[in-house]
Structures are given as C-alpha cells and as structure tokens.
Amino acid sequence: MIKNYFKTAWRNLVRNKVYSLINILGLSIGMAACILILLWVQNQLSHDRFHKNLDRIYIVNNRDIGDGGKFAWSWTPNIMGPTLKKDYPEVADAVRYVEGNNFLFTVGEKKMVPSGAFADPGFLSVFSFPLISGDAKNALAEVSNIVLTEKLARSLFGADDPLGKIVKIDSNAHFKVTGVLKNLPDNTAFDFAYLLPWSYKDKLGWTDSAWGNNGLNTYVMLKPGTSQATFDQKINKITTNHLPGDPLYKNREVFTQPFKDQWLYSKQENGRYIGGRIDMVRMFTAIATLILIIACINFMNLSTARSEKRAKEVGIRKVVGAQKKGLIFQFIGESVLLSGIAFLFALAIVIIFLPGFSTLVDQQLHLPFTDPLFWMSAVTFILVSGLLAGSYPAFYLSAFNPVKVLKGFFKSSTAAVNPRKVLVVIQFTFAVLLIISTFIVMQQIKHAQARDNGYNAQHLVFVKMNGAIENNYSLIRNELINRGAVVSVTKSMSPITERYSDSWNFSWTGSTEEDKKTDFVRMASDADFVKTLGTKLVMGRDIDIFKYPSDSNAILLNETAAKMMHLKDPLNAILKADDIEWRVVGVVKDFIYQSPYEKVQQLIVFGPKSWFNTMHFKLNPANTTRQNLDIVAAIFKQFNPEYPFDYKFVDAEYARKFKEEQKTGTMAALFAGLTIFISCLGLFALSTYMAETRIKEIGVRKVLGASIFNITSLLSGSFLKLVIISCVVASPIAWFVMHNWLKNYQYRISIGWPVFAGTALLVMVIALVTISFQSVKAALSNPVKALRSE
Amino acid sequence: MIKITNLEKIYRTEEVETVALNDLSFEVRDGEFVAVMGPSGCGKSTLLNILGLLDDPDAGSFLFNGVEVAKFNERKRADMRKKNIGFVFQSFNLIDELTVFENVELPLMYAGVKKSERKARVDEVLEKVQIMHRRNHFPQQLSGGQQQRVAVARAVVNKPKLILADEPTGNLDSSNGNEVMQMLTDLNEAGTTIVMVTHSEHDARYSHRIIRMLDGHTVTENILV
Ligand SMILES: Nc1ncnc2c1ncn2[C@@H]1O[C@H](COP(=O)(O)OP(=O)(O)OP(=O)(O)O)[C@@H](O)[C@H]1O
Ligand SMILES: [Mg+2]
C-alpha cells in the first residue's frame, strides 16, 4: 500500500512540474534559511560549554550604585582571587585572567607581536583547553614558563617540537615553553595566542593589592555541591569589608555569574545581567521559525489549491474502500516525502552558502555530519515540517464527500474568509513585519553613522607605544613632522576610538562629597590634542607641553564634564585627583570615543603628568597615503627597530563600531528578502492555479465583453486585498517590536509613518507583479479555446 | 439482499429544498439484475449512492443483507462498502496517476489482500475483460470502452455481492456499450446482484426487472423474466 501511495505521490510530482518545483523550492529555501539560523543559534548556545567543570565555574562581578541606578561590571581587583581562595573553603580554585598583552616575541631571527593573556597557574585546570603537550597542572607554575597555542608555536618554531624551547619576550626576559594548547575553538570567549603566568605580571610590577583597582577577571571554581546563592551571600560585602569606613565603597557588592551564562547574558540592566546575545539568539530563533512556517504555509496552500485535481482520486479511493484514516496517512506521508526531498535540496543550499554566512555572522559554522544528533534532528525536522505542511491538506482532502466530488459538485471555496486566504495573510504579515523591521534597523544604523562624531578621522593614524617609542618620542615626533609625512602628533592614553580608563574620587572648586562618585573617562595628551584629532575647542586652548612647561598638570574637559561639574567658568578651575592638582586649560566639544549609539560620557584629558600608551598622528594630506606611510614606517624602523611597525587608521576603527548592528541589519535584510520571496513563490503558484480554474469564467466574461483590464483587476484584486490586510496587521506589531528594540540605544531614530507606507507600497508592487504574470496571461487567452475545452 | 422502506432524501441549499427521494420503497433479491429508469433529475443517482453507502438517507430504513445500515457512521459504511459493493460509473472514474493494473488492484489493497494473491486476482479479471495487454498503460492512453472495461474489472475484482452501475454505457458507442452489458450479464449469471441506472431501453432489456421512477418515487415495475 505504501508503495502505491509513493507511486501516486511521485507521479503527481512529475506530472505537475511547475507546482512541484515551486512547492519544493519554497520549502527548501525556507528550510535552508532555518538551518543556517539554527546552526548559528547552536554555535551561540555552545559557547564555552565544553569545559568539564562548567557547572562549578563562576565569574566574579561588582555591583554599585551609580548615576541613575545600579550597575555591574566584571572587572575585579588583583587581590580578589587570592583572597577568595584563601578565606572561603568552598572555593576549589580562583584564577585571574586578563588579555591584552602586546609583547615582542623573538625566536632566533623571528620577531612577532602576538596577542596573549596573563593567567593564574590554575587556569588550565579550571578551564578545559586541551593540551597537545605539557601538563595542565604545572605548565604555568614557574615565572618563566609560557604556554603557546599550536598555531603560534608553529609560526615561532616551524615543525620542531616547541616543548622546552626558549622564547625571548621584549628585550630581556626568557621563557621556556611548557605547554602547547590545541588552537582555541571558535566557540569560546577567551582569545589568546599564548598564556604567561600571573607571577610574571607580579614581577613586572603590574599588580597591586588595592581593593579599589579593577583591571582583570576573576573566575572561581566552587567545590561540588556548593550553592551559588549561599556563596554570593558570603562574598557580597567582601570589598566593603576590606575597605572599612571608606564611603566610596560602602555600597559595593560582589556577586557571581555562572560562567556558562557569560556569553549569552552580558548586558546588564540595573546591576543584573539579564540580556545580551541571548536576545539575538531568541530573535533569530523566532525568525527561523517564522520562515519555516511561511514555507510550510506555501506548501499547505498549494496542496489544498491543487486538491481539486486530487479530489477525484480521493473520491475514487473512498468508493473502493479507503477510510479517512488511510487517506490522512497517505497525504501526510506524501508531504513528509516532499519535505524529505526539500530537506536534501536545503542541505545543498546550506553547503553552498555556509562559508558566506559564516563570514557574515563572524563565526565558523559547520554542518555536523558525523554527529548522530544532527541526523536525529534532521529526521525530526523533516517530520515536523512535513506534518506542519501536510496536516491541513491531509484533513481537508480526506474529508471530501465522494459523491459530490465524483459528480463534479466540488468547488473551491469562495467564502470571504477561507483558510487559504487566512494563510496568505499570515504569510504576508510575517514578511511585512520583517521588512519593516529591516528598514528600521537600517535607518538606525544610518542615523548613528551620520552622527557627528566630533572629530576628524581623515588621515588619522595611531600606533601603540611599544619598545623604544616612549624613549625616542621627541625624536620620532620631530622626524615625522620634519620629513613632511605628518602634520601633527599627539600622545594619548588610548586610541580615540576607545576608552581604556575611567576614574572617580575627584574634587574641584565647589564640588560636593556626592560628586566624588562621578565617574570620569580618562584620556591624555602632551600637545596638539585638538589640532591632531580635529576636535573642536569650545573655550580655552589645547594642552601644549612644548610651549607651556607647566602644562604637565593641565587638563581639557569635554562639554559634558564641564556641565556635570557645574563650573561657571571652567577655565583655570582646579581639579584634585589623589594629591595632584590639575588646571583646566580648555573645553572641547563632545566627541564620540565609545559607542555612537550612546550619549557621550564626561571625559577629562590629562596632561603629560599622567601616562601614555598610544600615539596619534595626522598624515600630510598633500602626499599620498602610501608615500606618507613609507616615510613613517622608515622612521619607526629607525627609532624602534625591535618591533614591527603596526598602525591603524582611525576611520576604519570607528567603522568597526557599527559592525554588530550592521550584522543584524544584513541578517534581517537577508531573511526579510527570503520571506517575501518565498511568499511570492506561493502567491505565484496560487495565482497560476486560480487563473487555471477560472479559465472558463474568464472565457465567458470575455465573450460577454469584459476588457483585459477588467479581467486582470478581477483576478489581481482579491489577492491584493489580502496583501493590504497583511500590511495593516503587521504595522502595529512591527512598531511595537522595533520601538522596544530601539530602547537599547540612547541615540536613536523615532519611527515615522513613511517606513510603514513605503513597505506597504513595496510589498503591494511586488505582489502585484507576481500575480499579474498569471492574470494578464489569463486575460489575454483566447476565450473560444477556453470554452471549447469544456 | 436490499430492502428499502419509505426512504427519503432531501437536498437543502440556501435557497431551495429539493426532495430527491420521496417515500421510496422496494426490494432487490439476491442474484437479481435490476435496472432503474426515469427522467433526468428523478433521483436515480441519489438512490444508487445511498444503496452504495456513499451517502445516507434522511429518513426511512435500509436493510442490507438484513442489517439496518441507514444510520451507519462513515467508518462502518466504508467497511461494509469495501467488503460487499463494487461501483461502475458513467464517467469511468479511474485514477489518472495509476496504471490499469494499479487501478484494479486498489480495492484489494484496501481490503488488505496479500500481494501475490492480488496479482493473481487482478490478472484474472483483466484477462476476463480482455485488457491484459494494456495492464501497464495509464487511463488517458485508453479508449472510453477500454476504460469502462477497466472500471468494471475494478468493480468486480474483490468479488462483491452487489454491483451498482450508474449509466455504465452512457459515454460509450453501441458496440462498446454492448460489450459492457454482456460483461454485466455474465457477472450476474455468476451470482452477482446488479442494480443499474440507465436511460437506454435497450440496455434495460438485459435486466430481470425495471424500476421506473418519477420525482423520487417508483411509479411502475416491469418484470422482464
Ligand atoms: N448535492 C446536491 N445538492 C442539491 N441538490 C441535489 C444534489 N444532488 C442532487 N440534487 C438534486 O436532486 C435531484 C435528484 O438528482 P439525481 O442526481 O439523483 O438525479 P438523476 O435521476 O440521477 O438524474 P440524471 O439522469 O440526470 O443523472 C435533482 O433535482 C438534483 O438537482
Ligand atoms: Mg444520475
């Protein structure tokens, strides 16, 4: 019997090539999109899930009260880890970890500046990064040990066994390779090419035991059976207790977050980690489901529309003894078969587009062919889509009354509300929803991109001040300017596109005790901050240590800071930090150094008495960039010969701030495009079908004098009405969803009506074009032929 | 075999009520060959559908082999149908996607007959209706007469006790029509009860008895043998 069903299904498929193609194609595209998204979702959900101790690892966080509520952050003091380990018996291990090392590595003639991290010796035991050689327990035990990843080891030592070999770091320290790690998997938040022992950080004098200095991550591994809640309660006041009486720390709380949540829940609201990547994961899971539903709706619609052709078969089968159950089984089986075929096509599509999609989402995604779970999910997927797509037609078809069908009494429903129309409306509602959302995401990105960032990034370059740059700074500066490659230079604490440092506990003329809690972002400059970066002075002047020797204590404020400090006359105001007095020499217009979606926070640019680690310079616009960079490279080679010359363009760095949103935008656009495409495929098939079934009616109407326009609008009108209903339904939903999304951004657009009107128009035009193919064709057909075929 | 009493069937649409069968009673005995005649619209097909358990009456009694089936539900009717009744329609009603062999095989499949036996029985009836050489053709590739022979083959393959034929020759020329009528006669002689609707006095003469209907009613019965 199954064979008989199969035969009927297959012959039906082959006999109706266009329908079958549209049916399978629509379903495959929907499935492929769904699979791609689910692969990404799976990747996100698998982040750092491979650690054996996962359920016992927690990251230590701080929480405090700041302007407008509580806020949390995961940077902790150096002393936190050792204290937790020493004083709390439930802690099996506590490890400190910080990335961002830019040491110069030398092996023989080879020099490179890989990026790495410092970690406590327990790091490799707490986390499960597999070692190719060496021993996890002792690899970071000695101050002169180093652990490399396979890739770095290969580029330093080639094919030789790296274990026991020596790496020179900067100009003086020698390290013995005590471990080689497998390259880090793609789905980990950790990012390092090597690990240096924490003791080396101590040795460099880069650590302290201040409870108020937060600059690293602390991970604790609790003993089995310890509850997070109890532990959190115990450590809640640990910082406050170590700084008794200090009013600045009286509200400080310490709490843990399960490490397995760190990737997905990194966004905090009022001091709690409640969202982050998980929002995207949820959103795109929803989109994946929607796309699959839309594709399945196509399938349902086409199958039921075609049911008139299958009606006779149903009637006959019933007459010769089929029962409803058997027919339902037959039609569901048929749709599962189709969905199986569609799945194979979908796999092919996925294989073709996976590399591109991986680039788009910036994660290396794979189809896990060897994983039995994958095949089980695949079967489930086929069954679910088959059932989803086939159940309605199955019940619909099997319910036909054989007498009516065989008598030709059966007619497709022309009722005002029939399921097929409802399904089309649902489909287009989803499509319109996605399109509106895409437009709004893009508008928001454009809006932020168009925002005046307050400085001039053109020809602006920065380099990290490593090796001998600091010592030779004046020489380099003079040479750069004298040789005409650069028009101006400024040293700073961080690239202008980033914030490295912030601080509080400042006082100034007229400040209150409460003001000490205000957190200021810190930057620094020796001279020409305004001139080089192209920021705008609102009052006063640039810091210039070369002209005014007393400027080593000078500061610039941004406008927000000046406002925040309630300074009537900011110029020459005195700011006290610790015991140093700083004098305001100028106020600059706010510029964006962080997120273009947020308002600019109060910022202080400190004079040369602070520290520097970045050098900005403006290339000479009179020359080509190539000429400039050649000269610049030569100068750095001369004064900092040990280090490779590494530079970045500020405009490129600034553009990276839009990457996340652009990714969202591109993905949304992609999937919105797919939904409308799939929906239109369905519409096309439905209109083809409708034109076919109404061919006699059209013939009669034409004989009676209807014009081509009459006929076309008769046929298109009914579909267009459905599309309009969809727009009306989708618009408020889209408004609601996107209104909430925009709340994530302080600097945002307001949603206006044009985006709704524009989308409605767009979708209507697309739908009309799709339908009119068939309706015009039907309208042009020769009525005599149509009538004779009866 | 069949005994109907005061059978009634009313079709209701939004505007009109059509009384298709009105207080209809008659009996068909085992092994009989009955022809039903009457003007168009008098309710012949309606009657046949009810006799074939494809449709249910609004009132009255219908005893099939002594069992009251008028109130049977769909599942029971389907069951009764596939065990006892074969149909032949004016418009053949073969499944386009299935071959001659597969079309004839279908009732056996629904009856749960084993594959080897199915093949034997289908081949046997196809032989009998002389369509064996076309067993792998699709219905569209056959002439009307050939299609109706396949339909007859399908109706009898499960050895039903009753065959219902609704204008079986209506779409055929006279020589093809005569062939089909001869087949029905042969079946009847082999013991199958037949009820046939026809407009043709010629065809009706093959039967034992003619029931004449008018407006859902029997008006006369002519006994021919
Ligand atoms: N599904 C239906 N809905 C409404 N009325 C119906 C339906 N089926 C049949 N009728 C009506 O019932 C009456 C009997 O119809 P039936 O098909 O039984 O006639 P018939 O005797 O077979 O006619 P013909 O010789 O033309 O085939 C007719 O008046 C017909 O219009
Ligand atoms: Mg009739």
Side-chain angles (χ1 to χ4, degrees):
Chain A
M1 183 55 93
I2 302 251
K3 210 171 131 203
N4 177 281
Y5 290 159
F6 186 83
K7 254 185 283 191
T8 327
W10 181 252
R11 287 174 191 157
N12 251 306
L13 210 70
V14 176
R15 205 162 283 174
N16 304 289
K17 287 194 187 64
V18 178
Y19 286 123
S20 308
L21 194 73
I22 290 180
N23 226 345
I24 292 179
L25 192 69
L27 200 55
S28 327
I29 294 175
M31 280 181 166
C34 192
I35 293 172
L36 283 175
I37 298 178
L38 291 182
L39 283 177
W40 175 79
V41 166
Q42 155 66 17
N43 167 286
Q44 291 296 302
L45 295 180
S46 73
H47 258 256
D48 279 312
R49 291 295 165 117
F50 54 87
H51 302 287
K52 284 189 209 72
N53 302 318
L54 187 65
D55 291 331
R56 294 159 56 202
I57 308 175
Y58 297 86
I59 180 165
V60 180
N61 293 277
N62 298 301
R63 183 187 294 134
D64 212 319
I65 299 172
D67 36 15
K70 292 188 174 179
F71 63 99
W73 71 102
S74 60
W75 298 113
T76 46
N78 187 56
I79 188 88
M80 179 75 82
T83 310
L84 288 173
K85 198 170 164 182
K86 181 164 61 72
D87 295 346
Y88 296 83
E90 49 273 80
V91 174
D93 203 355
V95 292
R96 293 164 293 182
Y97 174 87
V98 68
E99 288 170 4
N101 293 339
N102 292 299
F103 294 115
L104 175 71
F105 277 42
T106 313
V107 172
E109 289 301 295
K110 257 179 222 152
K111 287 181 192 300
M112 57 181 75
V113 187
S115 62
F118 285 114
D120 268 320
F123 182 83
L124 291 172
S125 316
V126 171
F127 297 103
S128 314
F129 292 109
L131 280 157
I132 296 171
S133 56
D135 138 50
K137 216 159 184 176
N138 300 315
L140 292 170
E142 303 290 327
V143 67
S144 59
N145 290 355
I146 187 167
V147 172
L148 307 175
T149 56
E150 193 183 356
K151 197 164 141 212
L152 179 58
R154 174 119 344 128
S155 48
L156 286 171
F157 300 104
D160 297 351
D161 179 11
L163 209 64
K165 293 248 165 37
I166 301 295
V167 182
K168 192 173 88 173
I169 282 186
D170 282 350
S171 49
N172 39 21
H174 295 264
F175 288 82
K176 191 169 88 181
V177 178
T178 45
V180 179
L181 288 172
K182 263 202 179 150
N183 288 332
L184 299 192
D186 207 55
N187 54 359
T188 177
F190 292 105
D191 184 16
F192 56 83
Y194 62 86
L195 291 173
L196 282 170
W198 203 264
S199 48
Y200 183 58
K201 198 169 172 351
D202 291 331
K203 190 176 163 190
L204 287 171
W206 290 3
T207 56
D208 58 34
S209 53
W211 279 91
N213 189 2
N214 300 303
L216 53 104
N217 290 129
T218 305
Y219 296 94
V220 291
M221 182 165 81
L222 298 181
K223 289 195 177 137
T226 315
S227 104
Q228 186 199 4
T230 337
F231 181 66
D232 271 9
Q233 229 159 36
K234 280 179 108 171
I235 64 166
N236 186 262
K237 283 281 148 203
I238 183 170
T239 303
T240 318
N241 293 342
H242 280 91
L243 295 166
D246 190 330
L248 279 179
Y249 294 93
K250 72 173 196 294
N251 293 319
R252 179 67 54 91
E253 289 175 76
V254 175
F255 68 101
T256 60
Q257 179 190 23
F259 173 62
K260 63 173 190 282
D261 291 346
Q262 199 193 353
W263 179 260
L264 293 173
Y265 298 85
S266 56
K267 200 184 83 185
Q268 54 112 4
E269 215 166 83
N270 205 19
R272 292 187 192 285
Y273 293 104
I274 49 150
R277 293 184 179 90
I278 189 72
D279 299 326
M280 289 285 280
V281 166
R282 288 196 184 120
M283 185 167 112
F284 278 99
T285 309
I287 291 181
T289 317
L290 286 191
I291 292 182
L292 190 63
I293 291 177
I294 286 182
C296 288
I297 286 180
N298 257 7
F299 188 92
M300 290 189 212
N301 267 349
L302 292 189
S303 313
T304 45
R306 270 187 47 213
S307 56
E308 275 128 278
K309 296 207 165 172
R310 300 292 296 274
K312 188 176 143 201
E313 182 192 333
V314 173
I316 296 167
R317 281 184 185 271
K318 280 195 166 181
V319 166
V320 301
Q323 298 199 350
K324 205 169 161 176
K325 213 166 49 187
L327 287 167
I328 291 175
F329 177 77
Q330 179 189 353
F331 286 107
I332 287 194
E334 207 169 285
S335 89
V336 170
L337 171 74
L338 277 196
S339 106
I341 297 175
F343 183 79
L344 293 182
F345 279 108
L347 274 192
I349 298 175
V350 168
I351 291 170
I352 294 169
F353 287 100
L354 199 55
F357 187 70
S358 293
T359 317
L360 176 65
V361 299
D362 210 11
Q363 294 285 345
Q364 214 43 58
L365 304 176
H366 314 275
L367 272 172
F369 283 124
T370 49
D371 187 352
L373 196 69
F374 170 74
W375 292 107
M376 265 151 65
S377 333
V379 170
T380 320
F381 197 72
I382 292 171
L383 285 179
V384 169
S385 356
L387 284 177
L388 207 60
S391 50
Y392 174 61
F395 286 100
Y396 180 73
L397 288 172
S398 63
F400 285 163
N401 179 335
V403 180
K404 291 189 180 175
V405 166
L406 292 181
K407 228 172 146 184
F409 251 179
F410 177 79
K411 268 263 132 46
S412 64
S413 165
T414 47
V417 180
N418 74 18
R420 205 180 301 155
K421 288 178 181 169
V422 174
L423 288 177
V424 170
V425 169
I426 293 178
Q427 213 173 16
F428 272 85
T429 303
F430 287 156
V432 171
L433 184 66
L434 278 179
I435 293 174
I436 293 177
S437 307
T438 307
F439 279 141
I440 293 178
V441 171
M442 290 184 160
Q443 278 181 0
Q444 167 67 3
I445 296 172
K446 268 235 176 68
H447 180 64
Q449 276 173 334
R451 183 177 178 187
D452 178 14
N453 63 8
Y455 62 91
N456 184 358
Q458 241 194 335
H459 308 301
L460 196 57
V461 176
F462 66 86
V463 297
K464 287 286 168 61
M465 295 175 69
N466 48 23
I469 295 181
E470 179 75 67
N471 288 340
N472 294 334
Y473 174 71
S474 311
L475 293 168
I476 295 173
R477 181 176 192 269
N478 289 339
E479 203 69 0
L480 285 173
I481 293 172
N482 291 342
R483 288 177 60 181
V486 157
V487 290
S488 98
V489 179
T490 188
K491 280 200 286 193
S492 64
M493 210 181 266
S494 66
I496 188 169
T497 49
E498 275 170 73
R499 63 181 268 186
Y500 277 10
S501 177
D502 57 300
S503 196
W504 51 9
N505 207 8
F506 296 124
S507 53
W508 58 87
T509 341
S511 71
T512 62
E513 201 48 36
E514 206 41 39
D515 282 333
K516 284 195 171 169
K517 287 192 176 171
T518 306
D519 184 51
F520 291 85
V521 176
R522 312 195 322 153
M523 287 199 176
S525 170
D526 58 332
D528 294 339
F529 185 87
V530 173
K531 184 177 170 199
T532 310
L533 303 177
T535 52
K536 287 163 203 88
L537 268 178
V538 179
M539 60 176 73
R541 59 171 177 82
D542 225 342
I543 296 172
D544 192 344
I545 190 68
F546 302 102
K547 219 161 152 188
Y548 312 100
S550 66
D551 264 8
S552 80
N553 279 14
I555 53 175
L556 295 172
L557 303 177
N558 73 355
E559 275 183 299
T560 303
K563 217 179 289 159
M564 191 104 211
M565 293 161 75
H566 311 292
L567 295 172
K568 269 197 215 85
D569 181 15
L571 288 186
N572 293 318
I574 300 293
L575 176 103
K576 262 179 78 176
D578 296 326
D579 286 327
I580 305 172
E581 292 197 345
W582 302 85
R583 197 167 53 86
V584 179
V585 298
V587 175
V588 294
K589 199 169 157 255
D590 284 347
F591 59 91
I592 300 169
Y593 50 84
Q594 208 172 345
S595 165
Y597 301 102
E598 277 161 37
K599 62 176 192 230
V600 177
Q601 205 189 324
Q602 52 277 13
L603 164 102
I604 303 173
V605 182
F606 290 87
K609 201 160 190 149
S610 67
W611 45 275
F612 299 102
N613 71 8
T614 310
M615 189 175 156
H616 285 90
F617 43 85
K618 185 105 181 162
L619 297 176
N620 188 348
N623 307 331
T624 65
T625 308
R626 191 68 270 146
Q627 287 169 332
N628 284 331
L629 284 176
D630 283 347
I631 299 170
V632 172
I635 294 170
F636 275 91
K637 193 85 237 157
Q638 181 189 348
F639 292 102
N640 189 26
E642 290 282 303
Y643 281 75
F645 174 57
D646 191 18
Y647 62 94
K648 292 213 164 84
F649 280 97
V650 171
D651 47 9
E653 289 300 296
Y654 189 75
R656 277 161 44 110
K657 293 182 184 296
F658 300 95
K659 224 176 103 190
E660 272 308 307
E661 276 69 20
Q662 254 156 352
K663 211 164 78 185
T664 315
T666 315
M667 271 168 83
L670 185 70
F671 294 122
L674 277 181
T675 1
I676 189 80
F677 179 72
I678 297 173
S679 306
C680 283
L681 265 187
L683 200 58
F684 180 78
L686 273 186
S687 59
T688 310
Y689 167 77
M690 188 191 62
E692 251 174 44
T693 49
R694 290 175 77 171
I695 196 101
K696 185 177 157 204
E697 174 196 343
I698 294 165
V700 174
R701 279 178 190 272
K702 280 183 86 169
V703 169
L704 297 178
S707 71
I708 290 172
F709 177 78
N710 291 151
I711 304 272
T712 311
S713 45
L714 173 79
L715 293 179
S716 309
S718 54
F719 281 119
L720 212 53
K721 215 161 54 196
L722 300 181
V723 174
I724 293 171
I725 295 174
S726 306
C727 291
V728 172
V729 175
S731 294
I733 305 176
W735 183 87
F736 179 77
V737 172
M738 293 321 283
H739 184 73
N740 272 332
W741 179 76
L742 282 172
K743 279 192 194 152
N744 287 327
Y745 304 100
Q746 286 176 340
Y747 184 79
R748 60 176 179 241
I749 53 162
S750 54
I751 306 173
W753 61 267
V755 68
F756 299 107
T759 306
L761 199 66
L762 177 75
V763 172
M764 263 148 62
V765 168
I766 293 176
L768 201 59
V769 170
T770 310
I771 306 161
S772 54
F773 268 113
Q774 291 306 325
S775 25
V776 170
K777 201 173 108 190
L780 288 174
S781 64
N782 183 348
V784 179
K785 253 192 199 157
L787 293 178
R788 202 182 291 147
S789 80
E790 258 302 290
Chain B
M1 159 163 282
I2 293 170
K3 182 175 167 55
I4 57 173
T5 338
N6 305 335
L7 213 59
E8 206 166 284
K9 178 77 188 177
I10 302 173
Y11 291 110
R12 288 189 182 82
T13 57
E14 278 131 46
E15 311 94 61
V16 285
E17 254 185 28
T18 315
V19 181
L21 297 180
N22 182 11
D23 203 15
L24 183 67
S25 307
F26 65 82
E27 205 171 325
V28 177
R29 287 180 305 278
D30 273 2
E32 240 189 325
F33 186 161
V34 176
V36 179
M37 296 192 75
S40 187
C42 70
K44 304 182 296 292
S45 296
T46 306
L47 170 67
L48 220 57
N49 288 334
I50 290 176
L51 293 183
L53 296 162
L54 292 171
D55 212 346
D56 47 1
D58 291 315
S61 137
F62 174 12
L63 293 179
F64 189 88
N65 279 336
V67 183
E68 178 58 71
V69 294
K71 297 259 143 38
F72 266 24
N73 66 17
E74 151 117 34
R75 205 180 49 77
K76 274 178 155 170
R77 274 194 272 148
D79 203 49
M80 186 72 118
R81 192 159 67 221
K82 78 178 167 201
K83 282 190 191 130
N84 297 300
I85 305 171
F87 286 89
V88 181
F89 299 95
Q90 176 178 0
S91 51
F92 325 136
N93 280 333
L94 300 173
I95 295 181
D96 297 333
E97 279 73 31
L98 298 180
T99 61
V100 165
F101 182 90
E102 289 159 356
N103 262 293
V104 177
E105 190 188 19
L106 209 53
L108 296 178
M109 288 182 126
Y110 282 114
V113 177
K114 277 205 305 291
K115 186 168 177 178
S116 50
E117 195 190 334
R118 280 199 319 253
K119 189 175 169 337
R121 273 165 71 175
V122 172
D123 282 352
E124 188 193 323
V125 287
L126 287 181
E127 202 73 68
K128 217 187 267 171
V129 301
Q130 294 163 24
I131 208 84
M132 198 55 187
H133 56 298
R134 296 294 183 105
R135 65 202 293 277
N136 291 323
H137 286 215
F138 287 96
Q140 308 90 293
Q141 299 165 321
L142 302 181
S143 75
Q146 288 169 329
Q147 288 192 44
Q148 194 61 303
R149 290 199 326 248
V150 176
V152 171
R154 187 181 61 189
V156 303
V157 69
N158 205 14
K159 307 212 165 90
K161 299 190 186 70
L162 173 67
I163 286 183
L164 300 172
D166 196 345
E167 298 181 46
T169 60
N171 282 1
L172 302 178
D173 63 34
S174 59
S175 79
N176 272 315
N178 285 342
E179 253 178 60
V180 168
M181 285 317 300
Q182 194 50 56
M183 275 161 50
L184 290 177
T185 311
D186 293 347
L187 283 166
N188 177 247
E189 272 161 16
T192 315
T193 314
I194 296 180
V195 178
M196 174 184 77
V197 167
T198 183
H199 281 291
S200 147
E201 291 288 350
H202 166 79
D203 288 353
R205 248 174 271 137
Y206 284 86
S207 71
H208 305 156
R209 181 155 64 105
I210 301 176
I211 295 176
R212 295 194 189 271
M213 286 178 67
L214 190 65
D215 293 338
H217 236 66
T218 50
V219 281
T220 52
E221 293 194 20
N222 310 14
I223 304 191
L224 300 178
V225 277

